[in-house]
């Protein structure tokens, strides 16, 4: 069917004029004049369209009637130099086959620009827009670059479970996984739901993070990373939160917090550089359409050494800033996006890596400092995004970890295997989690996280 077919991206860049070529794709626009009709066709391989010149003498009215914006077509013809502006080459059609028509009365993606809000309602069709084509290609390129980065450095890709019985972050924001009859669940003698009758014989949830299992891998293979879906039932309707998002979690044995920071900075810079080198057309499009500062913001990441600072010192800056905050600042409170962005965008004008957060606001597994108050947490803060990475050096000492789990009232019985690694050949180790959609938000300059994942899952929304 497509033995002769060539992707538009290829033809536009290096197609030889005078040759017979064939493309397949979707019509983006149709412009009629007396003797010819101009079509633009896109096949998803590039932000740019192929212009097709249709000589009315050569085609029946019947064929032309079927071709509207949205139709899927196969075009065969000669690649010629384009006389019009905007493209190097175009196709003079000799044959057009229409695979699927799109009724102009009902096809929602007519040529005019649509709001991002409207496009969310038609997420099944939005990949056919310039914007989502660009975002999805960049998303792909970033996923590939992540695997390349780690593979080239000897990290192993480890698959951690999606269904789990432990709450890695201890935050209790998990979705339940069950096959019990919700109308009439089995009950224990005390009247509670009897999960011993459930599929796994215990209560299970969707994972919030692959970290705990990742640590098991790192304590055998030295350096691993995960890259998979994670789920959080936090009811935060913000432009930076999803209920289902993808996370990259490298975990490294024999790394302390400083090694961890070095890796995080190098990794982020690599990804930004990769995007700038490999997604040039799409980034230029987004820069022009949505965010005139996008390219300079990406360059800003490459040009600056990230600031490294303790939470306590950062808190001091926030307190003394004289800013009016929506959320109050005082030692012990967590940083909100407004505080993070102030530090990055106003105070330092550089990406910031904060460490040594108060123990009370961080997860149980973080390495405890000698002061008895802080832990070796690491948050990486970016312009516009705030927190893009969260991580830490891990508590490798059995007694200290055991004490913390107990203090926080976490279920010890579900964590026996995690504690075991601290009994057998424990070693200093560190890791972090990069929110994939937060990265894509930053790289694309889009302002809502719902627009950087094909089918967003957010409170009260699981369409498509
Ligand atoms: O800071 P978090 O909660 O850290 C962890 O889950 C650790 N287990 C990571 C580790 O050390 N291996 O989440 C990590 C990152 C955040 O910095 C943020 O980028 C992203 O995941 N993230 C979310 N992205 C979209 N929607 C949400 N609801 C997110 N929650 C966290
Ligand atoms: Mg965090």
């Amino acid at each position: 069917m497509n033995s002769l077919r060539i992707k538009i991206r290829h033809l536009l860049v290096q197609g030889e004029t005078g040759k017979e070529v064939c493309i397949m794709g979707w019509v983006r626009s149709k412009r009629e004049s007396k003797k010819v009709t101009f079509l633009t066709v896109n096949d998803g391989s590039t932000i740019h369209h192929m212009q097709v010149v249709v000589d009315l003498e050569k085609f029946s009215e019947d064929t032309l009637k079927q071709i509207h914006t949205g139709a899927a077509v196969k075009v065969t013809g000669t690649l010629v130099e384009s006389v019009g502006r905007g493209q190097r080459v175009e196709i003079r059609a000799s044959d057009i086959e229409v695979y699927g028509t799109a009724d102009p009365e009902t096809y929602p993606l007519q040529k005019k620009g649509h709001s991002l809000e409207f496009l969310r309602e038609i997420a099944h069709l939005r990949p056919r827009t310039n914007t989502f084509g660009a975002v999805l290609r960049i998303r792909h390129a970033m996923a590939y670059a992540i695997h390349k980065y780690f593979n080239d450095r000897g990290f192993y890709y480890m698959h951690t479970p999606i269904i789990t019985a432990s709450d890695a972050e201890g935050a209790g924001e998990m979705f339940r996984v069950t096959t019990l009859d919700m109308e009439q669940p089995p009950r224990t003698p005390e009247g509670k739901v009897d999960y011993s009758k459930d599929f796994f014989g215990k209560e299970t949830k969707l994972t919030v993070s692959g970290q705990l299992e990742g640590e098991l891998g790192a304590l055998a293979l030295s350096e691993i990373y995960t890259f998979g879906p994670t789920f959080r039932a936090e009811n935060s309707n913000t432009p930076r939160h999803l209920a289902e998002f993808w996370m990259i979690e490298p975990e490294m044995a024999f790394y302390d917090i400083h090694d961890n920071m070095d890796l995080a900075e190098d990794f982020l810079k690599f990804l930004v550089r990769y995007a700038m080198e490999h997604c040039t057309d799409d980034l230029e499009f987004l820069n022009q359409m949505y965010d005139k500062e996008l390219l300079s913001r990406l360059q800003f990441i490459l040009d600056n050494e990230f600031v490294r600072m303790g939470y306590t010192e950062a808190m001091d800056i926030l307190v003394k800033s004289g800013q009016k905050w929506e959320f109050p600042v005082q030692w012990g409170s967590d940083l909100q996006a407004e505080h993070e962005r102030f530090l990055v965008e106003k105070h330092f004008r550089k990406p910031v890596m904060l460490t040594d957060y108060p123990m009370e606001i961080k997860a149980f597994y973080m390495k405890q400092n000698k002061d008895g108050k802080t832990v070796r947490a690491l948050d990486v803060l970016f312009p516009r995004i705030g927190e893009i990475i969260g991580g830490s050096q891990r508590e490798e000492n059995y007694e200290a970890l055991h004490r913390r789990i107990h203090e926080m009232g976490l279920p010890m019985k579900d964590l026996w295997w995690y504690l075991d690694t601290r009994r057998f050949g424990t070693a200093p180790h560190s890791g972090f989690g990069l929110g994939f959609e937060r990265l894509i938000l930053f790289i694309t300059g889009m302002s809502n996280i719902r627009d950087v994942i094909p089918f967003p899952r957010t409170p009260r929304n699981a369409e498509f």
Side-chain angles (χ1 to χ4, degrees):
M1 183 189 205
N2 55 14
S3 57
L4 275 176
R5 183 212 183 175
I6 306 176
K7 291 282 182 81
I8 290 171
R9 172 195 172 90
H10 182 84
L11 282 180
L12 288 177
V13 179
Q14 50 201 31
E16 256 179 73
T17 53
K19 287 246 158 95
E20 159 132 324
V21 298
C22 164
I23 60 167
M24 296 176 187
W26 291 267
V27 175
R28 286 295 181 83
S29 69
K30 178 180 180 182
R31 185 162 54 85
E32 299 177 284
S33 71
K34 263 201 205 118
K35 289 196 172 151
V36 290
T37 287
F38 295 98
L39 305 176
T40 58
V41 178
N42 186 282
D43 64 4
S45 62
T46 161
I47 189 85
H48 304 297
H49 308 327
M50 178 61 82
Q51 174 153 289
V52 175
V53 186
V54 185
D55 197 336
L56 297 185
E57 276 180 1
K58 289 198 222 151
F59 290 86
S60 73
E61 218 170 287
D62 264 7
T63 308
L64 286 168
K65 257 194 347 220
Q66 294 182 59
I67 303 174
H68 292 288
T69 298
V73 293
K74 170 181 179 178
V75 177
T76 312
T78 312
L79 194 70
V80 297
E81 219 167 281
S82 176
V83 281
R85 280 182 303 140
Q87 63 271 324
R88 185 181 69 90
V89 289
E90 61 192 19
I91 295 176
R92 292 217 156 249
S94 55
D95 188 54
I96 300 179
E97 188 179 333
V98 180
Y99 291 123
T101 58
D103 173 16
E105 297 299 317
T106 51
Y107 183 60
L109 289 174
Q110 297 305 326
K111 210 186 152 196
K112 64 179 160 56
H114 297 286
S115 75
L116 293 169
E117 287 77 11
F118 171 70
L119 291 177
R120 269 173 230 151
E121 290 167 21
I122 52 162
H124 58 307
L125 295 172
R126 69 179 181 171
R128 296 193 197 174
T129 62
N130 287 335
T131 300
F132 286 89
V135 168
L136 293 179
R137 280 186 296 273
I138 291 170
R139 205 180 145 97
H140 162 80
M142 288 293 91
Y144 174 75
I146 286 162
H147 287 299
K148 175 170 172 52
Y149 180 86
F150 287 124
N151 182 66
D152 289 354
R153 285 157 186 78
F155 287 58
Y156 298 107
Y157 180 25
M158 181 159 157
H159 297 101
T160 50
I162 305 292
I163 299 174
T164 176
S166 59
D167 181 355
E169 292 301 300
E173 293 160 332
M174 303 179 81
F175 291 101
R176 186 182 301 289
V177 176
T178 180
T179 54
L180 293 180
D181 178 359
M182 299 298 284
E183 303 290 334
Q184 272 182 319
R187 301 275 176 188
T188 63
E190 298 84 53
K192 295 206 167 132
V193 175
D194 185 359
Y195 289 106
S196 72
K197 302 263 163 45
D198 205 346
F199 188 91
F200 296 105
K202 54 159 78 172
E203 247 189 295
T204 48
K205 312 273 177 73
L206 291 178
T207 190
V208 295
S209 156
Q211 178 197 319
L212 302 192
E213 292 88 353
E215 286 184 50
L216 313 181
L219 290 170
L221 299 168
S222 283
E223 285 151 331
I224 64 94
Y225 68 104
T226 73
F227 188 171
T230 50
F231 307 87
R232 300 205 181 170
E234 52 191 336
N235 204 359
S236 13
N237 239 318
T238 82
R240 279 183 298 276
H241 288 86
L242 290 166
E244 175 180 300
F245 64 100
W246 289 67
M247 189 155 43
I248 300 96
E249 297 186 272
E251 191 70 34
M252 301 75 63
F254 316 115
Y255 274 49
D256 66 13
I257 188 75
H258 304 288
D259 304 321
N260 207 20
M261 285 192 274
D262 290 345
L263 183 75
E265 180 167 351
D266 187 62
F267 178 47
L268 288 167
K269 284 182 166 161
F270 173 89
L271 295 177
V272 170
R273 199 174 303 117
Y274 190 93
M276 292 181 84
E277 283 170 7
H278 294 86
C279 308
T280 320
D281 289 359
D282 288 325
L283 287 176
E284 271 167 13
F285 169 80
L286 293 168
N287 190 79
Q288 194 184 335
M289 290 297 291
Y290 291 100
D291 179 356
K292 295 274 187 293
E293 276 150 36
L294 173 60
L295 291 173
S296 57
R297 203 176 311 110
L298 295 178
Q299 189 60 42
F300 160 90
I301 298 299
L302 301 183
D303 291 346
N304 283 292
E305 217 169 283
F306 296 9
V307 173
R308 301 182 183 203
M309 175 174 278
Y311 164 95
T312 302
E313 204 179 330
M315 205 27 107
D316 229 37
I317 292 171
L318 293 172
V319 169
K320 290 187 183 137
S321 70
Q323 291 288 119
K324 285 246 180 317
W325 304 112
E326 190 186 338
F327 296 90
V329 282
Q330 64 188 35
W331 201 96
S333 63
D334 208 353
L335 296 191
Q336 304 296 327
E338 57 170 337
H339 311 130
E340 298 171 338
R341 292 184 58 180
F342 172 82
L343 291 172
V344 174
E345 294 166 22
K346 302 243 166 66
H347 188 81
F348 290 111
R349 295 174 188 278
K350 283 181 185 179
V352 176
M353 299 202 277
L354 292 186
T355 53
D356 303 299
Y357 280 69
M359 189 191 289
E360 303 305 324
I361 58 171
K362 289 293 184 185
F364 71 95
Y365 51 69
M366 296 194 183
K367 173 94 188 142
Q368 297 155 31
N369 283 321
K370 292 219 170 67
D371 62 12
K373 290 193 307 197
T374 59
V375 287
R376 245 166 255 177
L378 162 65
D379 276 12
V380 181
L381 314 180
F382 260 31
R384 283 185 90 228
I385 307 295
E387 178 191 338
I388 193 163
I389 275 180
S392 72
Q393 185 171 335
R394 317 305 188 191
E395 183 55 79
E396 83 275 20
N397 177 275
Y398 180 86
E399 279 74 32
L401 183 62
H402 191 277
R403 195 180 337 110
R404 194 69 193 134
I405 294 174
H406 183 73
E407 273 170 14
M408 292 178 71
L410 300 173
M412 200 73 74
K413 67 170 182 8
D414 295 335
L415 290 170
W416 64 271
W417 45 272
Y418 185 70
L419 280 159
D420 252 11
T421 52
R422 274 63 171 176
R423 291 172 57 210
F424 307 123
T426 191
H429 62 289
S430 299
F432 59 79
L434 168 67
F436 189 52
E437 286 73 20
R438 298 247 177 120
L439 171 75
I440 306 300
L441 258 186
F442 182 75
I443 301 273
T444 59
M446 301 301 283
S447 38
N448 194 311
I449 201 162
R450 291 164 179 79
D451 299 330
V452 297
I453 186 166
F455 306 105
R457 298 288 178 253
T458 51
R460 310 200 61 74
N461 175 41
E463 194 67 47
F464 310 106

